[in-house]
Amino acid sequence: MVDVDAVLEAAGLKNDHVREYVKYWAGITGAAEIEVVSVEDDARLVQEALAAGEILPAGEDLYYSRSYYKDTARSEERTIVATNNPADKGVYNNWYPAAEMKEKLTGLMRGASAGKTMYVIPYLMSPPGSPLEKYAAGVQLTDNRPVVLHMNRMARVHVDFINNLHDPDSFVRAVHVTGDLENLGQGTPDDKRYFVTVADERMILHFGSSYGGNALLGKIAHGLRQAAYDGWASGKFLAEQFMLLGIVDRVTGKKYHIAGGFPSASGKTNLAMTLSPGALGDRYYVEFYGDDIAWMWVGEDGKLYGMNPENGVFGVAKDTNENTNPTAVEAIAPGTKAIFTNVAYNAKTNEVWWEGRTPNPPADLDGWLDWKGNPIADRSPAEANDPWAHPNSRFTTTLANVPNIAEDYNEPSGVPIDAIIFGGRTRDREPLIRAITDLAEGVYDGLTLGAEATFAADGLDGQLRYDPMSMRPFMSYPEGPYAAHWLKIIGETTDKPIFAHVNWFQRDAKDGHFLWPGYRDNLRALLWLMQLKSGEVEGIESPVGILPSKDELNTDGLEIDPADLDELLTIDVDRWKQETGFRAAHLEQFKDLPEAIWAAHRRVAENLGE
Ligand code: GTP
Ligand code: SPV
Ligand code: MN
């Protein structure tokens, strides 16, 4: 048994509550060694991981990692929120009693790190000094070195963050045990993976994965599930799966900030990293704050403030290239210490590749391995069309590497939020943008956000898979109180953000092409929204919000078929009436939904002539 006290003392870890916590779980997991990590240790840990073959070189200060082939994405079915209060059960949070889950996870973790090093990662999910700092401190324990390397990039990692806590007992206890990945029965009735947030005890227990949100516990387990619960329990803030960006107008000198929720893999990273379309580039400049999580609170001046609790980007690799996302390409260039996971790798040249990186895959197959590590050159004809990279393969890089990172991204004050936008993948009905000025109607719109039903989700034609506020997989408390908490927080502002629903994914009914070019041109819709808010344009009232008139939308240099633009800026009332019925059924699932939300629903239905 390791002398935990001696190791923690030598590492300068002074917090007695942290010491007790580490000792307890070191005992349960049976780890052979304990090591406290600060970000300064990264270079050494990288060398150790390279020497052990856990990561591979991928160019100058770039690294490649591969996860077990049955462990390549966040698992929604195995994710649980547990508390001591059965009233915390919601429709989406997969609630279980805390005592049952703690016992279950303790059993699974017992002895499961035997022979391994348990890394102690003190972290902060906020800029130091933030008004929400007390909700941001955590200590992750993990028996997996590549997970440590990812945490060093995604969170602020330093022993000082938990030595100097205002309340030394107020930190999230986040235990990650990898488990025997080859024997966990992933996807079978005997699945042994459990990803549990014991929200009212601020404890996270994840067993059975080394990938992404399952293993980097600062990110969605703490940054979203735990923080959303804390924000509600304290009545002080919102924690949402939102991107956060700034728009600088070089002519007027004004700066706007927009936060927005799009379901996973629906364009948050791309929007937050976007550059202005060429013709507008002299005037407008987009600044990156965050691409996956925003915490929002009301400032003393009555404005809504927001900040990105993360310190890095865990971005979808697929289709990332110089045209779609040049900023991302720069953020993962040689020298950035970025880590690529589950993309294709060339063992001879150390290059990486993924679908959409270049129009065609490398012609010379020599040395190329697919994401599972199998040589591409040895593929059978039946495998010839399999992707080289996993569709959910990702890159990990720190915020400081993003070329358009906002100068003030690390400021504890956060930034005032002018607008909150929602957007999903919707092939019809949803126009390019519709603005909503009423608070309850804005919250109602977020609660009815959805993305198209795919082959995986059974649904009626035209019906969405609803993903309220893009939080469906991260919801930690019931939906009725969630809506009430939104109304309360934004209701406390004296300078309200404007709401809007955006859709970059509308398609032509006949040939299926995207009506809107998307990517950089998305800025045009956001600029109109800022002009509407400041009264520079009026827009056109529709039953479901205010739409831009064709003259108001800045189309300088935009290449679009005028008929497509017409369609993007009109409302299909019949489809909307059908949607209203689906929405009522969706909202009826939620207990204690505030009357203000139902009233908003009825107003929209009446506007449509229902
Ligand atoms: P998570 O990290 O999973 O939460 O996802 P995200 O919302 O950050 O998604 P991301 O920005 O990585 O986008 C996912 C996919 O959407 C990528 O394949 C993009 O190429 C595609 N995409 C993003 N923006 C647009 C757009 O404006 N138009 C079109 N057609 N596709 C887009
Ligand atoms: C998502 O799935 O929405 C992500 C990736 O952002 S993960 O961190 O794995 O949840
Ligand atoms: Mn996400």
Side-chain angles (χ1 to χ4, degrees):
M1 180 68 199
V2 212
D3 183 346
V4 179
D5 272 320
V7 174
L8 300 184
E9 181 66 36
L13 198 157
K14 308 275 184 225
N15 183 321
D16 285 336
H17 296 276
V18 176
R19 289 185 177 208
E20 283 310 308
Y21 155 67
V22 176
K23 254 193 262 183
Y24 179 79
W25 287 100
I28 294 209
T29 60
E33 311 275 349
I34 301 286
E35 187 180 328
V36 181
V37 177
S38 285
V39 71
E40 291 88 355
D41 300 312
D42 194 67
R44 175 180 53 80
L45 291 165
V46 162
Q47 290 311 316
E48 290 176 13
L50 284 167
E54 295 160 352
I55 59 172
L56 299 166
E60 185 206 335
D61 286 335
L62 295 176
Y63 310 102
Y64 175 65
S65 76
R66 206 177 274 136
S67 68
Y68 181 58
Y69 78 103
K70 291 181 184 170
D71 182 33
T72 54
R74 192 162 47 70
S75 166
E76 285 180 30
E77 328 76 66
R78 307 302 304 166
T79 300
I80 287 165
V81 173
T83 68
N84 294 279
N85 183 359
D88 287 340
K89 180 178 168 61
V91 173
Y92 294 130
N93 68 354
N94 204 14
W95 183 89
Y96 279 82
E100 183 185 331
M101 279 301 124
K102 284 193 289 183
E103 194 185 322
K104 176 103 208 161
L105 272 288
T106 304
L108 288 165
M109 289 179 176
R110 195 175 300 278
S113 305
K116 296 187 180 179
T117 296
M118 178 65 83
Y119 297 92
V120 178
I121 312 172
Y123 65 81
L124 197 62
M125 296 306 290
S126 78
S130 158
L132 299 181
E133 185 173 328
K134 74 182 238 199
Y135 304 101
V139 180
Q140 174 165 353
L141 308 181
T142 179
D143 60 5
N144 190 301
R145 189 160 33 199
V147 166
V148 180
L149 301 181
H150 282 82
M151 281 295 287
N152 277 341
R153 283 154 185 73
M154 294 303 298
R156 293 167 175 88
V157 173
H158 208 282
V159 71
D160 286 350
F161 295 136
I162 42 121
N163 277 340
N164 306 329
L165 290 179
H166 188 63
D167 170 2
D169 196 19
S170 172
F171 61 94
V172 169
R173 290 156 166 84
V175 186
H176 168 246
V177 172
T178 307
D180 179 8
L181 295 172
E182 290 171 28
N183 292 292
L184 296 177
Q186 291 94 337
T188 70
D190 188 29
D191 203 321
K192 294 192 171 55
R193 300 172 299 162
Y194 278 83
F195 308 119
V196 181
T197 297
V198 188
D200 57 350
E201 298 185 25
R202 309 195 75 226
M203 177 188 284
I204 297 164
L205 304 172
H206 279 211
F207 175 81
S209 169
S210 73
Y211 195 73
N214 296 338
L216 315 177
L217 304 189
K219 189 173 174 46
I220 58 175
H222 181 165
L224 285 174
R225 290 190 198 94
Q226 182 64 56
Y229 193 92
D230 290 343
W232 170 58
S234 66
K236 290 210 170 106
F237 65 105
L238 299 165
E240 309 292 331
Q241 191 195 199
F242 280 10
M243 61 89 218
L244 181 58
L245 59 77
I247 303 174
V248 178
D249 180 339
R250 291 194 178 102
V251 171
T252 62
K254 280 195 197 156
K255 186 166 174 191
Y256 307 98
H257 300 96
I258 300 179
F262 308 176
S264 298
S266 298
K268 291 184 299 300
T269 303
N270 278 272
L271 185 62
M273 286 193 176
T274 200
L275 300 173
S276 274
L280 308 186
D282 287 343
R283 176 156 182 189
Y284 300 104
Y285 176 71
V286 181
E287 294 193 329
F288 179 92
Y289 284 93
D291 74 324
D292 204 43
I293 306 179
W295 291 7
M296 293 172 289
W297 68 99
V298 183
E300 280 166 16
D301 57 4
K303 291 183 180 162
L304 184 69
Y305 279 79
M307 62 94 169
N308 172 14
E310 301 196 87
N311 193 45
V313 175
F314 183 59
V316 174
K318 188 175 180 330
D319 287 330
T320 302
N321 62 51
E322 284 80 1
N323 295 323
T324 56
N325 196 344
T327 356
V329 172
E330 222 179 294
I332 54 180
T336 58
K337 302 181 186 161
I339 304 173
F340 301 93
T341 308
N342 292 345
V343 299
Y345 178 69
N346 191 310
K348 291 190 176 162
T349 63
N350 298 346
E351 291 165 283
V352 291
W353 190 83
W354 51 84
E355 275 62 32
R357 176 70 191 84
T358 50
N360 296 305
D364 180 2
L365 302 186
D366 189 36
W368 279 104
L369 306 173
D370 68 11
W371 65 273
K372 291 183 184 166
N374 298 324
I376 303 279
D378 295 354
R379 285 185 159 186
S380 69
E383 296 162 330
N385 290 328
D386 289 354
W388 288 29
H390 188 280
N392 190 41
S393 57
R394 299 215 172 210
F395 56 82
T396 308
T397 191
T398 54
L399 296 183
N401 287 327
V402 179
N404 64 334
I405 186 77
E407 219 171 70
D408 56 349
Y409 82 97
N410 220 2
E411 289 296 321
S413 56
V415 293
I417 293 180
D418 297 285
I420 294 177
I421 62 175
F422 302 113
R425 285 173 182 269
T426 322
R427 65 172 48 237
D428 68 351
R429 188 179 52 77
E430 278 295 356
L432 178 66
I433 183 165
R434 51 186 176 86
I436 299 163
T437 51
D438 177 77
L439 167 59
E441 284 174 29
V443 174
Y444 162 73
D445 193 74
L447 294 172
T448 51
L449 171 62
E452 275 159 20
T454 62
F455 293 110
D458 51 354
L460 298 170
D461 198 22
Q463 190 163 2
L464 302 177
R465 177 188 192 260
Y466 289 106
D467 189 341
M469 306 276 187
S470 70
M471 284 292 282
R472 178 175 172 142
F474 313 112
M475 206 66 107
S476 52
Y477 60 100
E479 292 75 11
Y482 176 86
H485 185 51
W486 258 88
L487 292 172
K488 168 184 140 41
I489 294 283
I490 313 284
E492 283 167 6
T493 61
T494 48
D495 185 355
K496 284 197 182 18
I498 190 168
F499 288 88
H501 199 110
V502 299
N503 181 22
W504 323 137
F505 299 95
Q506 194 172 159
R507 288 177 187 265
D508 182 78
K510 287 187 212 82
D511 68 10
H513 76 265
F514 285 115
L515 297 182
W516 180 248
Y519 297 103
R520 288 181 174 205
D521 287 310
N522 297 339
L523 186 66
R524 299 174 190 276
L526 303 185
L527 290 173
W528 172 82
L529 183 65
M530 292 303 97
Q531 288 182 314
L532 181 75
K533 192 179 183 207
S534 62
E536 291 162 61
V537 297
E538 281 177 12
I540 300 170
E541 292 279 353
S542 91
V544 289
I546 306 167
L547 269 58
S549 75
K550 253 204 288 191
D551 311 332
E552 288 171 354
L553 194 71
N554 186 329
T555 53
D556 295 349
L558 176 70
E559 286 174 31
I560 193 167
D561 182 332
D564 286 355
L565 189 59
D566 281 341
E567 195 164 342
L568 285 161
L569 301 180
T570 48
I571 296 292
D572 177 345
V573 173
D574 287 338
R575 278 287 287 111
W576 269 97
K577 283 185 179 171
Q578 180 195 29
E579 170 65 13
T580 319
F582 296 148
R583 286 182 171 191
H586 162 65
L587 294 177
E588 266 157 22
Q589 304 172 85
F590 305 143
K591 244 180 78 192
D592 303 325
L593 198 65
E595 174 50 28
I597 300 297
W598 281 116
H601 174 74
R602 285 192 300 269
R603 276 200 301 281
V604 171
E606 267 166 40
N607 291 346
L608 287 160
E610 288 277 274

